[in-house]
Amino acid sequence: MNRTTGNRTKGEHELERYAALWEEARAIRGTSLGRDAWRRLRRQRAAMASLVALCVVTVLALITPLLPLQPPRRVDSDRIFMPPTFSRPAALDLDKLDADFGRKDLDLVSRALLDARLALFGGWSLPSICGTDELGRDLFSRLFWGARVSLAVGVVATLVSLVIGVSYGATAGYLGGRIDNFMMRLVDILYSVPFICVVILLVSILSEDSIRTWLESWHIDRITIFYLVVGAIYWLTMSRVVRGQIISLKNEQFVEAARTIGASQRRIIFFHLVPNVLSVVIVYLTLTIPSVMLFEAFLSFLGLGVQAPDVSWGLLVNQGFNVITPIKIYWWLVVFPGLALALTLYALNFLGDGLRDALDPRLKNR
Amino acid sequence: MQAIGRKLFPYLAAILLLLAAYFAVAGERRAPADFTFVNGTEIKSIDPAISTGQPEGRIIRALFEGLVNWDPRDLSSTPGVAARWEMSEDSRRITFHLRDDALWSDGTPVTADDFVYSYRRLLDPLTAAQYAYQLYYVVGAEKYNRGQVAVGDRVEIERFDPPSGAPPHARGELLRGTLLEYAEAFVDDPAAGKTELSDDEQRERLRRRVRMYTIEIDGEARRFKTGVAAFRDEPEFDAYEPVKQVLVDFDTVGIRAPDDRTLIFELNNPAPYFVSLTGFYPLYPVHRETVERFGSPDWMRPENLVGNGPYRLEERAFRDYIRLAKSETYWNAENVKLDVIDALAVESNVTALNMYENRQVDWTPVVPTVILPELKKQDRDDLRVAPYLTITYFRFNVTRSPLTDARVRRALSLAIDRPEIVDKIMRGGRTAATSFVPIGIEGYESPDCCQHDPEEARRLLAKAGFPGGKGMRKLTLLHNASEDAEKLCQAVQFQWHDTLGVEVELVRQEWGTYQEKVRNLEYDVAIAGWIGDYVDPNTFLDMFVTGGGNNNTGWSHAEFDAIIKERAPRERDPEKRLALMRQAEEILLAEMPVVPLYFPERNYLVRTYVKGLHNNILDVHPLHDLWIDEAERERQTAPRRKR
Amino acid sequence: MIAFLLRRFMWFVITVWAVQSLSFFLVRLAPGGPFTQERNVPLHVELAQRAKLNLDVPLYEQYFGYFGKLFRFDLGISDRQPDFTVNEIIAAGFPVSASLGVLALLFAVALGLAAGIVSAVFRGRGWDVSIMAAATLGIAVPSFVVASVVIILFVFVWPLFPAAGWGEPANLVLPAFCLGAPYAAYIARLSRTGMLEVLSQDYIRTAYAKGLSTRAVVLRHALRGALLPVFSFLGPAVAGILTGSLVIEKIFAIPGLGVHLLNAALQRDFTLMLGMVLVYTTVLYSMNTLVDLSYRILDPRVELT
């Protein structure tokens, strides 16, 4: 080709232009709401940092048995109320794994992790960098084991409320009319019940021997009852939120289209409508989990929450409350669990805010 | 209209809120009392007959006075309403002589009849007094309280309405006669055909009971029936007149008032400590006219209440405070030093401590145990440590295997390292138990038990068929929702697993459920506590007779029963009697339906300028014995400006 | 308007009936009863106690008897505190809890609104970040932890307030703060969001274009938008304050009603628990109705249903 400028043939210009357009066209990707939202989310630094932090916490909680922590249940009367220290604790007693770790109650995966830990680290464990409590138990280790329970309570109870709330709200919203009216009135009435009384009574009724053995035959132990009871309290608001969304969506074209091709009501509700409210639900989820975790702390304060020898953040914070007195303050027993709880709730809130901003189409172009 | 509403609305709302805030802040301030203390949670009632707790006791002892008082130093009986008393030769009749100057707060004298009225009221089944059984030492009292009658007895029939002219809340009109016939019927008997009845079934059955009496009154045979409201109107019993209750005539109960100043008790068995018992507050008198005029609960209001104690009820704010003011009519008023006392109701131990440290109260009987070691370390002179007649222990459900085997029970007891728990886990505030009856009862020495012997424990367990804990099922350890209970149970759970290989599941229940489960024997091991009502080993041992209301272990031992129920009460020589008690305790400790753990002390904080507050093992601190050293108080509060 | 109020009242009656019935049966299902004591009583004494508490008649009789008395506003005598009727207990505790709650709410709304508005106006900048961080802290830390810290600081380190008790204005400050703090945080976030939405509207741009100062724009035009979400939160906020007060009242020894919500259920005090449920339902319902009413006044586009 001639390199003299201006002597390029018209065809070559066109070719270049088309080539450039072609490249551009190929670079364009179709995008879904999800990916769009993800892109928006990525731009929010606080939310991303929270997401990362939460993932880290979750992973740590899941692999807790693998970490070289002191046994969370070992009562050591020589190490009572020790402030944070780097002194080496006693080595693990390999014969006492059950009492010290509650090994028998762990699921298979955790048990495997625990065995792996022993193989890797032997009897060595980290010093009590968060101090010890009134029975000499290491706080750092209890924070991790408590995370498992607290996060589980938060997630499971929220999921329970999700399942109940979404089904109920979607059904009410879609069916509309009198049924909707009736269902929502029921929700209003349930709202008026002081849930503290109900929780106390429900838990004590379900602890009666005959009922308890029946439930245990279904592998529903005390902590599962706890999840269910807490979930049964939080579904009310969820159902209202979902119902509102469904009502605004049910007259959309895609619903009518689904109806014309003969989809049953159930299918329309659960396969078509519900996925569209998912964004709202997800946001609500991330904002309910903190409420549930705080509720668990509240119940621990009243003596109704998680029981020994299980440990949760709520229980730890509550034990911390008892040691803030004008005589002496065992500050580490409050500060560390409080920080753990606060930072997790922080992260969840930021993530929820970020998700809401990312998923809300009205906030486009912001 | 709406536009105006909209404009005004924010201002309206603001005004409303400010008004609410104003009302919140505008309250009446009351003058500070001479002495303020924390009295635990809100008391259940001021009525001596139905109260049972210590906070109630403190208030009742201020408002009323019994036949005797207890000297706060050694709990010996000192004259109260009774100036002096005598025992008969066989120690079965006690005569009290009341003083002349004992007055009710309305000025009328306290008479022996007041006591007869109050004791009848205590024993009246319809009062449902928990401590009625304290009077069972008196002839005929148990029969009266249980509503038992037998053919040939003299009976009293109480109708529903008071006689005309009587005060509105007086007792129903009384008829007296002799019982000719007695029958019971059960309407729709739920237990028909059954031999063994559960507690619930028994209750249901008794609910449906209609009792029919044929009584001869003035030569004529008349018919009466009693029973629960719903079943009284059954047509088959039409011929019987429905009445409130039929009891043996109260004249058959051994309490008599031959004149205004003399009160005589006839006892079933010699009971030398009966005199002391009359200082126990359920046995305090109440003012008949007031009770009958106003009825419950109105007679207990500050404006109505008439008492014979060193203080009168000035104000009562529910769950806030009770204000007591010195009574001018009290016979010993000149020795009552404090004029105004406030008793505060506080729910949380930590709050009580905060209030004490902040100088808002002068005495708090509750101290959070977590802080106790720190307080002791600080060597404070306002911290009192007092022995207390109380024990914390475990109950075993001996009807459930493997706890049916005494060797298993003994092994479990030997495996517990009590000193470690007391010193290291609970951090003091207790003494490791070496017996079931706590130390401190003069003249009584308990047999020894409860050493820590892991070897022997393992040996026993193996002999029982569970070497190393193998083959033994998981036991449940039931406890209520208190921090101390949790710490203790977690420590024991650990020790049992550690020493014996026995697995234990901790079950925490809130209080109501916990009580129910213990009563219904729905547990394996349960934590328990008991405080002595009076200074005698019997208050700890008589719990465990067969079928005793507070037994709740399923344990039954014929010889133990024989000693407690028959031989000991009949023994007149106090030393021999205590020796018999010791025998009974030996049986208890050999069989071990219960595992003694420790004897908690009483710890409380009281300012050093408060005098007259002595330690004693029943933790009774009559308010009228207290006084304040003003000079010392000045010295202590001056440097720190009061808020 | 009248129709609206009448309809609301009708639903109120239905709600009260439903909730009371549910509580009535639920509390009787739970193990134990009002006479469950530390020490067991002999059967005959227990029967007498049951008779005294009117628990020996058949269940349906108890049920109708209870509602009969309820109709006459007679809530009965407390089972566990026989010196007082339930009406008296509520009359004694309600003003206390109400004043505490009102103050807490006042504090929460005032602080929350102010923080939220400032945060929205200075969006993304220093103020916004720090206020939102503080708000999240307020939500994330349980109230009893806040209370204990606050007590140590303001009672012992700087002796400004009493540690506990009731009767003087000074007693109100710390409890109201602890009770209101989490709600201030929530309100800050809500008003911020509402404010942001309003601020992005066209008519706000118009106002700015007209030359109005930020302050005028915010206070005169945008405030309503920020208030609406706060108002709809007031319903759940009141419910939360009613329940949350039980922790605060316990810690500060305040003779309010909150504690009874818990204790009556724990001790199976049938009459008191039902009385408390009634109070809770009534307060919540009234609050929700008031909020709906004020919606209508604030935003004329809203229709009352």
Side-chain angles (χ1 to χ4, degrees):
Chain A
M1 196 145 81
N2 265 343
R3 280 180 88 243
T4 46
T5 46
N7 259 5
R8 282 161 87 182
T9 60
K10 190 163 167 227
E12 281 161 353
H13 272 290
E14 298 249 344
L15 210 61
E16 258 185 51
R17 221 183 66 218
Y18 283 136
L21 276 175
W22 177 246
E23 288 298 322
E24 240 183 81
R26 270 181 47 183
I28 294 178
R29 294 242 176 288
T31 176
S32 65
L33 180 62
R35 236 178 288 167
D36 206 22
W38 175 246
R39 205 164 6 110
R40 271 204 293 268
L41 188 66
R42 269 214 309 224
R43 266 188 259 138
Q44 305 196 32
R45 272 176 302 163
M48 284 313 288
S50 305
L51 187 58
V52 167
L54 286 171
C55 289
V56 168
V57 169
T58 312
V59 166
L60 280 179
L62 285 171
I63 64 164
T64 297
L66 186 61
L67 303 170
L69 301 165
Q70 292 181 46
R73 297 185 189 183
R74 180 171 62 190
V75 171
D76 191 345
S77 39
D78 292 319
R79 295 168 61 84
I80 292 184
F81 282 137
M82 280 176 62
T85 169
F86 285 104
S87 70
R88 186 113 325 143
L92 285 187
D93 190 335
L94 296 171
D95 298 323
K96 295 195 191 164
L97 287 178
D98 266 341
D100 285 353
F101 286 95
R103 188 169 177 279
K104 284 236 184 97
D105 298 324
L106 293 176
D107 54 280
L108 291 168
V109 176
S110 306
R111 232 181 276 185
L113 287 174
L114 192 60
D115 295 334
R117 172 252 171 99
L118 290 167
L120 279 172
F121 299 103
W124 180 84
S125 40
L126 288 165
S128 294
I129 52 184
C130 289
T132 64
D133 69 358
E134 55 189 5
L135 286 176
R137 297 178 295 204
D138 174 41
L139 187 61
F140 188 59
S141 142
R142 281 164 77 77
L143 279 174
F144 278 84
W145 287 87
R148 292 159 69 91
V149 175
S150 289
L151 289 175
V153 168
V155 170
V156 173
T158 307
L159 281 177
V160 168
S161 74
L162 174 101
V163 167
I164 307 178
V166 168
S167 328
Y168 194 87
T171 316
Y174 182 73
L175 292 176
R178 285 181 130 173
I179 302 184
D180 170 32
N181 223 353
F182 175 71
M183 285 175 89
M184 281 300 122
R185 289 292 179 202
L186 210 57
V187 167
D188 283 340
I189 290 183
L190 284 176
Y191 245 126
S192 309
V193 179
F195 55 82
I196 272 296
C197 300
V198 171
V199 166
I200 295 176
L201 295 173
L202 266 183
V203 170
S204 48
I205 291 175
L206 294 174
S207 313
E208 270 213 273
D209 256 12
S210 46
I211 303 187
R212 205 157 87 105
T213 35
W214 178 74
L215 286 174
E216 263 166 23
S217 67
W218 287 74
H219 295 288
I220 302 179
D221 63 343
R222 223 196 123 83
I223 206 156
T224 317
I225 294 179
F226 191 68
Y227 296 153
L228 292 173
V229 168
V230 174
I233 294 170
Y234 280 89
W235 71 265
L236 294 171
T237 318
M238 174 79 82
S239 69
R240 274 208 184 144
V241 167
V242 168
R243 169 187 175 266
Q245 287 289 113
I246 296 279
I247 284 183
S248 59
L249 280 179
K250 74 174 174 186
N251 294 319
E252 296 281 329
Q253 297 261 339
F254 71 90
V255 173
E256 205 171 315
R259 225 177 299 152
T260 44
I261 61 173
S264 74
Q265 273 190 343
R266 201 149 61 100
R267 201 181 158 80
I268 295 179
I269 295 177
F270 288 104
F271 278 40
H272 294 280
L273 284 170
V274 167
N276 279 292
V277 302
L278 229 41
S279 61
V280 173
V281 168
I282 288 176
V283 172
Y284 186 72
L285 270 188
T286 50
L287 297 175
T288 308
I289 296 181
S291 299
V292 172
M293 289 174 78
L294 277 175
F295 184 59
E296 191 260 309
F298 177 65
L299 287 181
S300 288
F301 180 79
L302 303 174
L304 299 168
V306 168
Q307 314 250 46
D310 290 321
V311 57
S312 75
W313 283 346
L315 209 60
L316 291 174
V317 170
N318 184 46
Q319 283 172 355
F321 163 73
N322 285 322
V323 296
I324 303 183
T325 67
I327 311 273
K328 176 140 180 150
I329 303 178
Y330 299 106
W331 59 271
W332 55 95
L333 290 176
V334 163
V335 169
F336 293 116
L339 264 179
L341 192 59
L343 288 175
T344 309
L345 297 185
Y346 241 54
L348 281 165
N349 272 305
F350 275 136
L351 183 61
D353 283 344
L355 277 173
R356 186 175 33 212
D357 283 349
L359 290 169
D360 187 345
R362 281 186 304 158
L363 291 178
K364 253 196 306 200
N365 305 326
R366 282 278 181 81
Chain B
M1 173 65 169
Q2 264 167 14
I4 302 178
R6 230 180 327 130
K7 279 227 170 77
L8 283 180
F9 179 75
Y11 299 102
L12 267 175
I15 292 177
L16 257 158
L17 284 173
L18 279 172
L19 264 176
Y22 169 75
F23 273 117
V25 201
E28 270 181 42
R29 294 181 214 202
R30 57 184 200 277
D34 294 327
F35 176 69
T36 314
F37 71 99
V38 170
N39 194 28
T41 56
E42 175 65 19
I43 62 174
K44 181 185 161 197
S45 177
I46 293 183
D47 186 345
I50 59 176
S51 297
T52 55
Q54 262 213 332
E56 288 83 1
R58 295 192 194 111
I59 305 295
I60 292 176
R61 281 179 203 282
L63 297 173
F64 302 95
E65 189 185 42
L67 287 171
V68 304
N69 281 327
W70 290 343
D71 184 312
R73 267 166 281 246
D74 59 2
L75 297 175
S76 59
S77 307
T78 61
V81 177
R84 55 191 169 80
W85 49 88
E86 295 114 36
M87 276 230 183
S88 66
E89 280 267 319
D90 57 357
S91 296
R92 288 175 54 181
R93 172 181 311 159
I94 309 182
T95 311
F96 288 91
H97 300 277
L98 309 185
R99 61 179 66 246
D100 298 319
D101 51 350
L103 299 175
W104 291 101
S105 55
D106 66 351
T108 56
V110 180
T111 64
D113 271 322
D114 287 322
F115 281 92
V116 175
Y117 168 76
S118 306
Y119 289 144
R120 197 216 66 79
R121 181 171 179 267
L122 183 67
L123 287 173
D124 189 337
L126 292 178
T127 308
Q130 264 198 290
Y131 273 128
Y133 71 87
Q134 297 287 12
L135 277 181
Y136 283 8
Y137 299 102
V138 178
V139 166
E142 182 168 358
K143 195 165 173 185
Y144 188 83
N145 184 240
R146 287 187 183 276
Q148 292 162 345
V149 291
V151 170
D153 283 345
R154 282 205 341 265
V155 295
E156 61 185 33
I157 303 132
E158 184 182 340
R159 284 195 160 135
F160 287 108
D161 299 312
S164 58
H169 297 274
R171 227 182 143 199
E173 185 184 349
L174 286 180
L175 302 168
R176 290 174 208 275
T178 318
L179 185 64
L180 298 175
E181 263 177 60
Y182 170 72
E184 280 181 357
F186 298 90
V187 182
D188 296 334
D189 191 351
K194 293 198 201 167
T195 39
E196 283 277 340
L197 293 174
S198 74
D199 258 3
D200 278 332
E201 285 170 334
Q202 266 193 24
R203 258 182 237 136
E204 189 55 31
R205 191 159 187 263
L206 284 176
R207 235 175 42 72
R208 294 156 178 276
R209 178 177 63 182
V210 177
R211 301 161 94 172
M212 295 158 296
Y213 309 83
T214 310
I215 298 171
E216 181 199 321
I217 303 179
D218 298 329
E220 192 194 327
R222 295 168 58 175
R223 299 211 188 118
F224 301 97
K225 66 182 175 190
T226 65
V228 143
F231 302 108
R232 271 200 293 271
D233 301 323
E234 293 291 319
E236 21 182 325
F237 314 120
D238 256 353
Y240 294 77
E241 175 192 340
V243 292
K244 202 186 233 182
Q245 57 180 350
V246 174
L247 306 169
V248 287
D249 197 325
F250 192 70
D251 292 344
T252 63
V253 176
I255 306 175
R256 284 183 296 126
D259 60 64
D260 271 356
R261 295 267 166 268
T262 319
L263 189 64
I264 303 182
F265 290 93
E266 310 271 356
L267 306 178
N268 288 316
N269 291 305
Y273 51 85
F274 187 78
V275 172
S276 177
L277 199 57
T278 62
F280 188 32
Y281 73 81
L283 272 66
Y284 278 19
V286 293
H287 191 235
R288 178 177 189 156
E289 279 93 63
T290 316
V291 175
E292 293 192 333
R293 197 163 125 213
F294 297 106
S296 287
D298 288 331
W299 73 267
M300 290 176 275
R301 298 195 187 292
E303 60 267 21
N304 298 333
L305 184 70
V306 170
N308 65 331
Y311 287 92
R312 51 184 176 73
L313 184 63
E314 175 102 341
E315 282 169 54
R316 185 173 177 192
F318 183 60
R319 284 195 51 244
D320 195 357
Y321 65 94
I322 296 179
R323 174 158 280 202
L324 303 168
K326 177 172 160 171
S327 164
E328 301 305 324
T329 56
Y330 182 57
W331 61 269
N332 202 12
E334 70 227 19
N335 285 326
V336 176
K337 299 290 191 300
L338 297 170
D339 283 325
V340 179
I341 298 182
D342 273 350
L344 304 184
V346 174
E347 290 249 345
S348 154
N349 287 359
V350 177
T351 309
L353 180 67
N354 287 342
M355 290 178 89
Y356 181 83
E357 287 294 300
N358 197 31
R359 299 190 161 268
Q360 285 175 257
V361 299
D362 302 308
W363 172 34
T364 166
V366 291
V367 177
T369 38
V370 168
I371 282 306
L372 203 51
E374 189 59 34
L375 283 174
K376 287 191 178 172
K377 232 200 293 182
Q378 287 179 5
D379 210 16
R380 294 166 64 125
D381 51 1
D382 57 356
L383 176 70
R384 297 273 192 101
V385 176
Y388 194 24
L389 202 66
T390 179
I391 180 175
T392 303
Y393 63 101
F394 282 150
R395 277 198 168 88
F396 281 130
N397 184 347
V398 308
T399 63
R400 284 194 186 174
S401 136
L403 298 168
T404 43
D405 189 337
R407 289 173 298 190
V408 172
R409 305 196 295 260
R410 279 204 291 275
L412 288 171
S413 169
L414 288 167
I416 302 179
D417 186 355
R418 291 166 184 77
E420 161 150 6
I421 291 183
V422 164
D423 295 329
K424 304 249 179 80
I425 309 286
M426 311 303 286
R427 304 254 268 157
R430 296 144 179 86
T431 320
T434 47
S435 56
F436 189 72
V437 177
I439 327 171
I441 300 182
E442 217 176 285
Y444 181 72
E445 205 185 298
S446 294
D448 265 335
C449 88
C450 318
Q451 304 80 5
H452 175 54
D453 196 343
E455 281 306 318
E456 176 72 7
R458 280 191 278 261
R459 205 182 57 82
L460 274 173
L461 197 62
K463 261 207 344 198
F466 305 104
K470 288 209 191 344
M472 190 145 122
R473 65 180 174 87
K474 200 190 236 195
L475 296 175
T476 54
L477 173 49
L478 177 68
H479 65 98
N480 62 324
S482 96
E483 306 134 19
D484 287 343
E486 281 212 45
K487 276 201 300 199
L488 168 67
C489 292
Q490 286 179 40
V492 172
Q493 175 192 45
F494 190 77
Q495 282 182 356
W496 278 347
H497 191 105
D498 203 30
T499 313
L500 297 174
V502 170
E503 273 186 48
V504 170
E505 179 191 344
L506 295 185
V507 176
R508 176 178 69 191
Q509 292 292 1
E510 49 90 5
W511 186 81
T513 316
Y514 159 79
Q515 294 293 332
E516 272 301 293
K517 284 185 177 255
V518 170
R519 265 166 64 125
N520 297 333
L521 288 179
E522 284 170 12
Y523 69 94
D524 288 328
V525 188
I527 197 176
W530 189 257
I531 301 177
D533 291 321
Y534 47 90
V535 186
D536 189 275
N538 198 43
T539 175
F540 285 90
L541 296 174
D542 73 354
M543 277 197 275
F544 297 106
V545 296
T546 307
N550 287 301
N551 186 333
N552 294 329
T553 59
W555 183 68
S556 166
H557 196 280
E559 205 192 317
F560 183 84
D561 286 354
I563 300 181
I564 298 291
K565 296 207 310 207
E566 285 154 25
R567 291 167 54 196
R570 298 212 184 104
E571 178 56 60
R572 269 196 273 146
D573 180 283
E575 263 179 45
K576 290 209 195 118
R577 185 180 158 270
L578 288 180
L580 278 175
M581 290 270 137
R582 191 197 151 99
Q583 255 188 299
E585 192 177 356
E586 263 169 29
I587 300 178
L588 187 71
L589 292 174
E591 291 279 307
M592 286 236 137
V594 291
V595 178
L597 292 168
Y598 50 72
F599 307 133
E601 317 165 316
R602 208 73 178 102
N603 298 291
Y604 49 91
L605 288 165
V606 62
R607 306 241 175 261
T608 46
Y609 53 74
V610 176
K611 313 283 183 194
L613 210 138
H614 305 276
N615 291 347
N616 56 61
I617 53 174
L618 285 183
D619 197 34
V620 171
H621 309 287
L623 295 172
H624 54 89
D625 285 327
L626 305 178
W627 53 280
I628 294 198
D629 182 343
E630 287 298 334
E632 175 118 14
R633 201 219 297 249
E634 270 309 305
R635 254 179 287 136
Q636 284 188 23
T637 53
R640 192 187 193 283
R641 186 130 313 280
K642 251 190 162 157
R643 42 139 197 101
Chain C
M1 174 65 101
I2 306 279
F4 167 73
L5 286 173
L6 275 176
R7 242 201 318 256
R8 276 298 167 109
F9 185 70
M10 178 194 84
W11 276 109
F12 172 66
V13 171
I14 296 179
T15 308
V16 164
W17 169 78
V19 174
Q20 292 292 100
S21 304
L22 173 69
S23 313
F24 181 92
F25 290 111
L26 202 61
V27 77
R28 279 163 173 73
L29 270 178
F35 35 76
T36 309
Q37 305 276 356
E38 287 284 336
R39 308 180 163 201
N40 281 333
V41 293
L43 202 55
H44 72 283
V45 174
E46 190 198 310
L47 281 179
Q49 285 175 339
R50 279 183 155 237
K52 248 180 157 181
L53 297 176
N54 201 36
L55 293 174
D56 58 344
V57 295
L59 201 60
Y60 66 86
E61 233 186 87
Q62 291 180 42
Y63 182 76
F64 286 112
Y66 176 76
F67 275 95
K69 286 169 87 178
L70 186 60
F71 207 63
R72 291 178 299 219
F73 297 114
D74 177 4
L75 291 165
I77 300 184
S78 162
D79 291 341
R80 286 285 188 181
Q81 316 271 163
D83 285 2
F84 294 95
T85 61
V86 174
N87 293 48
E88 280 177 325
I89 294 179
I90 293 180
F94 187 74
V96 174
S97 287
S99 41
L100 183 62
V102 162
L103 271 179
L105 204 55
L106 196 67
F107 164 73
V109 170
L111 183 63
L113 257 183
I117 292 175
V118 168
S119 199
V121 168
F122 293 101
R123 181 163 174 264
R125 305 215 294 264
W127 278 112
D128 183 17
V129 170
S130 41
I131 288 182
M132 280 301 110
T136 317
L137 194 69
I139 298 176
V141 179
S143 55
F144 50 90
V145 175
V146 172
S148 35
V149 170
V150 151
I151 289 180
I152 296 288
L153 282 178
F154 297 108
V155 176
F156 295 104
V157 173
W158 298 297
L160 296 169
F161 298 104
W166 186 255
E168 296 183 13
N171 288 115
L172 279 165
V173 176
L174 294 181
F177 174 76
C178 295
L179 193 53
Y183 301 100
Y186 270 117
I187 288 177
R189 289 157 57 91
L190 278 173
S191 55
R192 174 181 181 273
T193 313
M195 195 68 168
L196 282 176
E197 262 195 52
V198 166
L199 283 179
S200 70
Q201 299 277 14
D202 284 338
Y203 70 91
I204 295 290
R205 281 164 112 207
T206 315
Y208 273 121
K210 282 203 294 187
L212 287 174
S213 71
T214 314
R215 213 176 104 206
V217 170
V218 165
L219 287 180
R220 228 185 296 158
H221 295 280
L223 192 59
R224 288 251 159 82
L227 278 178
L228 268 168
V230 173
F231 261 86
S232 51
F233 177 66
L234 279 184
V238 167
I241 284 185
L242 280 177
T243 329
S245 68
L246 92 85
V247 166
I248 298 296
E249 284 175 12
K250 188 169 172 183
I251 297 178
F252 288 96
I254 293 180
L257 281 187
V259 148
H260 295 302
L261 268 180
L262 177 69
N263 282 346
L266 276 180
Q267 295 173 0
R268 316 282 195 266
D269 187 336
F270 293 168
T271 40
L272 185 58
M273 194 187 111
L274 290 172
M276 286 308 303
V277 171
L278 183 64
V279 170
Y280 185 90
T281 310
T282 310
V283 172
L284 207 58
Y285 203 88
S286 326
M287 199 59 202
N288 278 324
T289 307
L290 274 175
V291 163
D292 286 342
L293 270 177
S294 45
Y295 251 148
R296 182 82 169 87
I297 298 179
L298 274 181
D299 187 352
R301 294 175 295 172
V302 171
E303 284 250 334
L304 289 176
T305 39

